[in-house]
Each structure stands twice: as C-alpha cells, then as structure tokens.
Amino acid sequence: MAGSDWRDRYGTEGGGPRPASLGVMARVFSEDGLGKWALYAPTVFVILFFIVPTALTVVWSFFERTMFWMEPGFTLFSYVNFFTSARFENFLFSMLHSSVSVVVSFVVGFPIAVFVRRHVPTVAQHRVILLFILPFMVSEIIRTFMLRPVLGRNGLVNTFLTDLGVISEPITQILFTPTGVIIGEVLSFLPFIVFSGFLAMEAVPKYIFEVCQDLGASRWRTFWDIIVPLAAPGIFAGSVFIFVNGIGVALIPSILGGPGAVNAGLIATQAIIALDIPLAMAVSAIMMVTLFGLLAIGHRLFNLTKILEPQA
Amino acid sequence: MNETKDIAIEVVGLSKSYGPVRALRSVDIAIGRNEYFVLLGPSGGGKTTLLRMIGGFTKPTAGRILLHGVDVAHLPPDKRPTCMVFQSYALFPHMTVAGNVGYGLKLKGMSKAEIQVRLDAVLEMVGLNGYQARMPWELSGGQQQRVQLARALVLEPEILLLDEPLAALDEQLRKDMCIWLKHLQERVGITFIHVTHNQEEAMSVADRIALIADGELVECGDARQVYRTPARRFTASFMGESNLLDGTVAEVSGDGTVTVDVGIARVAVPSADATAGIQAAVSVRSEAMRLIPRDQAQGADEQALDAIYQEEIYLGLMTRQIMALPNGQTISVRSVSDDDEAPAFQAGDAVRVVWKTAAGRLHLS
Ligand SMILES: Nc1ncnc2c1ncn2[C@@H]1O[C@H](COP(=O)(O)OP(=O)(O)OP(=O)(O)O)[C@@H](O)[C@H]1O
Ligand SMILES: [Mg+2]
C-alpha cells in the first residue's frame, strides 16, 4: 500500500523529465554503467603510464641508432656498448654508492622515525613528520647546489675545521667524488627514510616498548629482535626507493660528482645528449630490471603486500 | 598482615599529576604477600596510573613505593619483582607462542634446553600445551591472554600486575577466565594485583578490593566486607545496587542504632558512633528491600517508607520494581522473579517499602 503510494507520487508529481533524468543517472552510476568502468580506471592508468612506457623502453633499446634518432630493428649493439665500456663499471660503482647512501640514511633516519613513534604524542606525530618534508619545498637543484659552497675546497666545512685547528690543509676529497655524491644523496633522501620508517613503524604496536622494558630487553635487543623484524617490509620498501633514486637521479652526481662518480641516470642523460637514444633506453631497461629484481627478492622475503594491509 | 615481612607492596602517599590533571592523590595501600588484590573503580579513576607506577612504567610525582620493604623508586620495570599483563593482547606479533614466552628467558641468557623445560612447564600451567608453534593470530583472545600470562609467569615474578586482563573478552569467556585466574593465583601462590572496572569480575577473584575513584582511595577491605558493609557513600553507590537516602543524624540512641532524618521520614540504622546534627546517608541494597501494601504494617525490626508504585522491569532471574518517594526520588527493589504470579501492584498504587533495620548502613562520608 504505502510502497505503491510512494511510487505513484514520485512518478506523477515529479513531472515528466525528472524520472527520465533520474533513470540516466541511475544507469550511469549503476554497477554495469560508469561504476563498472570506474573499476577499470586504475588498470587503464597502469597500462597508459607504466606498462606502455616500460615496453617502449625495452623495444627501443633494441633499435638501431641513426644520426639523430633511431630506426626499427633488432640489435644488441646498445647492450654490448654498455657492458663493454666503462659505463658498466660506473653503473656497478653507482650501485655501491647507492647502497652506502641507503645504509647511512637508514642509520640516521630510522631512529628518528622510531623516536617520533615512541615519544611524540600520537596527535602530534603527523605534524612532526611533516616538518621533515619541508625541505622538499625547496627545488632539489637548489638544495643540491647549495652543498657546493658547503663541501668545496674553501667551503664551510673546510673553513670551520681549519679554524678549529682540526685540519691544517683543506680536505679536497669531498666535492666531485663519490663521497660528495653520497652526502648529497643522504641529505636528499633522508626525509624519505624518515617518512617510510614512520610508516613502517605502524606495524610495531606501541605496547611492544613497554613489554620489552618489562622483560628486560635492552634498547639494542628491542631494536634488533622486535622492531626491525616487524618494520622490515616498510624499511625494505623505503630502502629500495632510495637505492633506485641513488642510481637513477642524474642531478646529484652531475652537480656534486666527478669523473669517478657517475650513476645510471647520468649515463642515460649523457647518452641522450650524445643523441644515442637506444643506449639511453638500454640503460633505463637495465635499471628497471634491477628494480624488479630487488622487488622480487623483497617480496619473497617480506611479502610486500603486507605493507598495504591495515594493521590490527 | 600485621608484620612487615608479610606485606608485599606498600604504597605511601603516592601522587601523580599529568600537568593540571591529578590522576592520583596521596594514596596509601598495603597489599599482603600472596594476596589476590583488586583495584576497582570507575573509568578515569587512576587505577592504571597506580598499577603502572608499581610496575615502574610511570614515575610518581610524590610518594613512595616499597616492594617487599625495598623502595623501588629508582628501579626500571625489569629490575622490580613485578611483571605486567597488559590489557591489549600485547604479544610479539612475529613470534610463535614459544618465542613469546621464551623471550624473557632468552634475554636472561638461559640455555635452550633449560628454556624448553620451563616453557613446557608454564604452558602446561596455563593450559596451552601443544600450542608452542602457533602464531598469535592463530589464537583466540582468551588464549592470547593466557600466553601473556605465561610470558609473565615464566620469569617467576613475586608480584603479577594485570591491567584489565579480561576487558577485551566476551562476557561468558570473562566469567570462565575469572575462575581460572583465581585458581591460577592459588596454585602459583604469588601476589596478584588486578585492575578492573567490572564489579562482578572484582568480586569473583578478589581476596581484598580497593575502590579507587577520582584519584583517591575510597575504601579498601575484604571483598565481601566491601560489598556488604561499605563504609563510604560512594562505595555503597558503586558496589551492587543500593538505594541511598541523604539526610542528617537526628538522634543517637544507646542501643547501637542511629536515627537519620532523610527529609520525608526518619529511619533507624545500626551504627556504633555518630554525632547528632552531622550530614549522613543511609544505604540499603535493593535486594534487601521488599514491598507491602500501604495499609499493612512493617515488622518490629523493620524500617518503612511510603511510596507510589511505578513499574516493574523483568530482568530474567530478578525482577526490579520501581517506586517513587514523596520527594520524587526513585527507589528500586529487586526480588527473584516469580513467574506464576500476576503483578501484585498497579502503577499509582500506594505502597510501603520495608527493610530490616539491620540491613541499613550509615555513611558519614
Ligand atoms: N599519559 C597521560 N597524560 C595525561 N593524562 C593522563 C595520562 N594517563 C592518564 N591520564 C589521566 O589520569 C586520570 C587517570 O587515568 P587512568 O588511566 O589511571 O584511569 P583508570 O582508572 O585506569 O581508567 P580506565 O578504567 O578507563 O582504564 C584520567 O583522568 C586520565 O585522563
Ligand atoms: Mg585503565
């Protein structure tokens, strides 16, 4: 009774066009209209911005080089070129430098994340973490460039140490060496590790600290036995991120590095400048394979999907 | 209890402030060795604060804590003879049951073989034999709490602190666990301090109860005594279900009773000492009262108040009858439900609420 009454009134009093437009809206948002397609949006996004460029990179890396561009074909020339020149050695070294950056960033940054999680009141935690993102407000080029007058021969560090009498000769082994690049990378990526460490610590319940205190675990034991295993997936994700940036971001070695401090990103950039597009593509493809390899290992060890699961 | 050597925990003038919030105000408690002691009170009263200070997780603002006669102010949690069982299922999520329980022993540098022996013994004790290899998420809530207990007990503490250990469990399991905890305490023979805001839970496990509200120790005593003869008005209102009548002491008679003027009438209550003219309250448990028609007289050893019958609420085992006094205050009377009988009274009927004089309790504070 009441049901039909309601339906009648809706149909007549609302006027002709209204039910029709309602119908259209309902159809658009129903499960088999736009709603259904909305589910595919991420898939489309991934195909458009991830799979297609990746595939093109790989395909182009096998193309033949021409004077200014490339032409379709299949040649391993770019790869041979890469692996048989100093580039490969540079690439391996950049992986080493990157690993050092990861370790240093972790050692410096992760305790900050642990501290914030443990000692800062929950309501203020996110604000404190935001402070670490503030440096990102400054362009990375400027941030990196500012290190030159700091680390250089007559830079801030050298002047300071000389004035203190700690050293008599300025240290010249910082700027334009791998050390300079590592310093630049650590400063650049530290906020990332603090942030990802903070997220990783979400997997560590707060009560853990008190339980450890009660059982008599030292800080060190608490850290290694409890915190690190629990936060491992998050730590790994953060580390991979820094590592990949370390070998991929051309900016830092091009400003702070020297002949011996080149990374994959810079090799690719230089190849593009030299108009050797297939080589640049090959370098990128090798970087991607490296990344996928790391992720595969990480997934095997930590089941990375756990990071995305809500914690109880 | 009268000898110092039998006192496990002595808290003297203990206070704690969080900025302007005074969570605990100068509390004194002495807890006997091998006693099952319950800290009971409404939410926010300061129970957790007190327990955490005993365990060493929170620093007192003032006062002393003596564990077996030793001042422990400067000692961290692991150097105290205490162990804590937390409210949440505070297990290490990445360790098995054996890993969780054995971790404390491992930290002490005990050999694998010895850890295994103790592990088996303690898991047997908490009824989790055969669960060694399970992960925390493979256990029910009650089982997780028992693992927590095992993790604490395996370290052989002299005092076990339990902060609402059963709060996250459902009603039935909580009742079972209460009995189980009580038996466990009797078996291991150490001091348990158990925090709860559930009165029934407190009554079923406690040897002695301390009632804590608003940062103060309201009353402390034998569990039955606190329930039957509460000294303070607050205790009477918190424990069980009592009717409270506020007034002033009108007369102190020589036969051990005091007459209190509660505004609408004068009622007699047993009391040893009181002075006429001071503020007082009378409480009577709702199950100690009964209803009679207005025209019927009460017995010689009974007190009575006129009231208007309002309604009846069926609670299953018990039935609650609600009456209004002439001053508007409601009185509730509980009795065991009698399913055969039709309600004796209708709303608006003039009735009398009566109780044995001896069932009344006088509260001067
Ligand atoms: N870390 C803190 N900072 C500020 N105030 C606190 C803190 N811990 C407790 N308090 C306050 O101290 C008072 C007592 O808290 P406590 O946790 O001891 O109560 P409780 O009796 O255990 O209550 P519940 O039954 O809800 O657990 C409360 O008013 C609380 O808000
Ligand atoms: Mg509490």
Side-chain angles (χ1 to χ4, degrees):
Chain A
M1 266 284 287
S4 74
D5 197 42
W6 172 82
R7 230 167 268 143
D8 284 348
R9 228 184 303 149
Y10 214 79
T12 51
E13 281 181 16
R18 234 184 109 194
S21 72
L22 261 177
V24 170
M25 292 302 276
R27 228 177 303 142
V28 166
F29 285 108
S30 72
E31 283 205 10
D32 38 47
L34 190 70
K36 184 173 158 196
W37 287 106
L39 290 176
Y40 290 113
T43 317
V44 172
F45 186 88
V46 167
I47 292 174
L48 217 56
F49 294 104
F50 185 73
I51 296 187
V52 169
T54 307
L56 280 182
T57 305
V58 174
V59 171
W60 283 341
S61 69
F62 294 112
F63 277 21
E64 309 246 8
R65 184 185 175 189
T66 61
M67 188 69 89
F68 298 110
W69 189 236
M70 52 192 168
E71 58 182 31
F74 182 84
T75 171
L76 290 174
F77 182 79
S78 299
Y79 287 93
V80 174
N81 185 350
F82 178 83
F83 284 108
T84 54
S85 65
R87 292 187 183 94
F88 182 51
E89 199 180 317
N90 282 336
F91 179 75
L92 290 182
F93 267 111
S94 82
M95 284 180 49
L96 179 69
H97 303 152
S98 240
S99 310
V100 174
S101 301
V102 168
V103 172
V104 175
S105 302
F106 175 76
V107 168
V108 178
F110 192 62
I112 298 176
V114 176
F115 178 86
V116 171
R117 263 273 179 250
R118 186 169 172 191
H119 296 290
V120 176
T122 320
V123 284
Q125 281 180 358
H126 288 91
R127 269 173 252 164
V128 172
I129 286 298
L130 276 180
L131 284 182
F132 286 93
I133 303 178
L134 274 185
F136 283 96
M137 295 282 186
V138 179
S139 146
E140 193 178 1
I141 300 185
I142 295 173
R143 263 188 293 137
T144 311
F145 226 96
M146 283 191 307
L147 283 174
R148 272 200 179 175
V150 175
L151 300 177
R153 190 183 157 77
N154 296 315
L156 222 54
V157 173
N158 273 325
T159 319
F160 185 68
L161 291 179
T162 320
D163 288 354
L164 275 184
V166 178
I167 50 171
S168 51
E169 283 284 300
I171 306 168
T172 50
Q173 267 85 48
I174 304 177
L175 202 53
F176 309 127
T177 64
T179 314
V181 173
I182 289 168
I183 291 174
E185 284 179 352
V186 168
L187 290 178
S188 240
F189 301 143
L190 199 57
F192 283 116
I193 208 88
V194 172
F195 202 70
S196 63
F198 180 75
L199 293 180
M201 284 299 290
E202 215 135 76
V204 183
K206 244 190 152 169
Y207 62 71
I208 290 277
F209 298 108
E210 294 194 329
V211 173
C212 284
Q213 244 186 313
D214 206 22
L215 297 180
S218 62
R219 274 159 188 253
W220 189 245
R221 291 298 297 259
T222 306
F223 186 76
W224 282 114
D225 293 351
I226 316 291
I227 297 178
V228 169
L230 286 176
I235 294 172
F236 178 81
S239 302
V240 166
F241 187 84
I242 296 191
F243 181 79
V244 168
N245 270 284
I247 60 173
V249 173
L251 191 75
I252 296 173
S254 74
I255 293 176
L256 300 174
V262 177
N263 69 6
L266 195 55
I267 297 171
T269 314
Q270 283 165 352
I272 289 173
I273 292 168
L275 292 175
D276 192 342
I277 312 295
L279 177 62
M281 294 301 159
V283 176
S284 306
I286 289 163
M287 273 172 62
M288 280 185 305
V289 169
T290 312
L291 171 60
F292 284 129
L294 284 173
L295 286 180
I297 294 170
H299 189 65
R300 256 283 170 77
L301 292 178
F302 310 116
N303 183 13
L304 292 180
T305 48
K306 261 202 264 175
I307 301 173
L308 301 174
E309 274 172 22
Q311 290 292 326
Chain B
M1 274 296 300
N2 33 24
E3 276 197 41
T4 15
K5 106 179 202 296
D6 285 324
I7 293 181
I9 298 141
E10 198 177 0
V11 164
V12 186
L14 200 65
S15 301
K16 177 70 188 177
S17 303
Y18 295 103
V21 181
R22 298 187 62 192
L24 213 62
R25 310 170 198 210
S26 192
V27 166
D28 302 286
I29 294 182
I31 299 170
R33 214 181 260 259
N34 308 344
E35 194 169 31
Y36 202 129
F37 195 86
V38 170
L39 298 173
L40 174 69
S43 188
K47 308 178 295 291
T48 299
T49 306
L50 175 56
L51 195 74
R52 290 173 55 86
M53 286 197 284
I54 294 172
F57 299 101
T58 307
K59 279 210 155 48
T61 311
R64 295 196 306 152
I65 300 166
L66 304 166
L67 300 183
H68 298 131
V70 182
D71 194 326
V72 293
H74 55 285
L75 293 178
D78 58 304
K79 297 284 187 301
R80 300 186 181 201
T82 56
C83 240
M84 184 99 162
V85 172
F86 296 85
Q87 175 177 346
S88 49
Y89 309 130
L91 299 178
F92 300 123
H94 62 302
M95 291 185 184
T96 59
V97 169
N100 266 283
V101 179
Y103 187 62
L105 299 175
K106 200 171 129 194
L107 290 172
K108 290 204 187 325
M110 211 169 266
S111 75
K112 276 217 170 96
E114 203 173 344
I115 291 178
Q116 195 56 50
V117 172
R118 294 205 184 195
L119 197 71
D120 290 342
V122 79
L123 287 180
E124 173 79 55
M125 191 193 297
V126 300
L128 287 177
N129 226 337
Y131 284 75
Q132 272 92 333
R134 295 264 195 119
M135 296 302 283
W137 70 78
E138 295 170 325
L139 300 174
S140 72
Q143 289 168 339
Q144 291 189 45
Q145 285 308 65
R146 282 190 276 159
V147 174
Q148 250 209 97
L149 273 163
R151 184 176 64 191
L153 290 174
V154 81
L155 297 177
E156 300 179 342
E158 289 164 85
I159 299 159
L160 192 69
L161 309 173
L162 306 108
D163 190 2
E164 309 215 14
L166 311 179
L169 308 180
D170 65 51
E171 194 59 33
Q172 189 53 48
L173 186 57
R174 188 206 300 239
K175 283 181 183 157
D176 296 345
M177 286 283 287
C178 276
I179 300 167
W180 184 83
L181 267 178
K182 178 82 180 158
H183 290 162
L184 180 72
Q185 190 265 343
E186 283 162 2
R187 243 183 313 154
V188 294
I190 61 171
T191 314
F192 274 36
I193 307 182
H194 179 135
V195 163
T196 178
H197 54 241
N198 185 317
Q199 193 218 122
E200 199 181 318
E201 183 180 320
M203 292 301 300
S204 58
V205 294
D207 292 327
R208 285 202 307 146
I209 292 180
L211 194 64
I212 293 183
D214 246 345
E216 287 183 63
L217 175 68
V218 178
E219 195 165 342
C220 176
D222 181 82
R224 280 159 197 257
Q225 173 209 327
V226 169
Y227 183 78
R228 287 195 187 144
T229 54
R232 305 273 301 264
R233 186 186 187 281
F234 180 84
T235 316
S237 70
F238 189 80
M239 301 290 287
E241 193 184 301
S242 291
N243 293 295
L244 283 146
L245 303 161
D246 291 301
T248 49
V249 176
E251 197 187 317
V252 182
S253 43
D255 60 351
T257 61
V258 166
T259 309
V260 178
D261 183 352
V262 294
I264 47 167
R266 285 174 159 228
V267 294
V269 269
S271 172
D273 53 346
T275 332
I278 61 171
Q279 289 241 327
V282 174
S283 73
V284 185
R285 275 187 284 127
S286 62
E287 68 265 28
M289 287 178 152
R290 65 190 177 89
L291 276 188
I292 54 173
R294 181 71 63 86
D295 48 25
Q296 198 175 316
Q298 77 265 32
D301 57 346
E302 286 181 325
Q303 300 294 311
L305 286 176
D306 289 352
I308 302 295
Y309 190 82
Q310 288 191 317
E311 61 176 325
E312 179 180 287
I313 299 163
Y314 182 68
L315 303 170
L317 176 65
M318 303 289 273
T319 298
R320 178 182 295 140
Q321 291 163 307
I322 312 278
M323 269 70 54
L325 295 179
N327 63 2
Q329 190 187 340
T330 57
I331 292 282
S332 117
V333 172
R334 280 190 305 168
S335 54
V336 175
S337 302
D338 192 348
D339 288 337
D340 304 331
E341 226 166 77
F345 301 103
Q346 302 291 320
D349 283 359
V351 294
R352 281 156 79 78
V353 181
V354 301
W355 68 91
K356 289 251 185 311
T357 307
R361 300 161 305 189
L362 183 71
H363 310 290
L364 299 175
S365 60

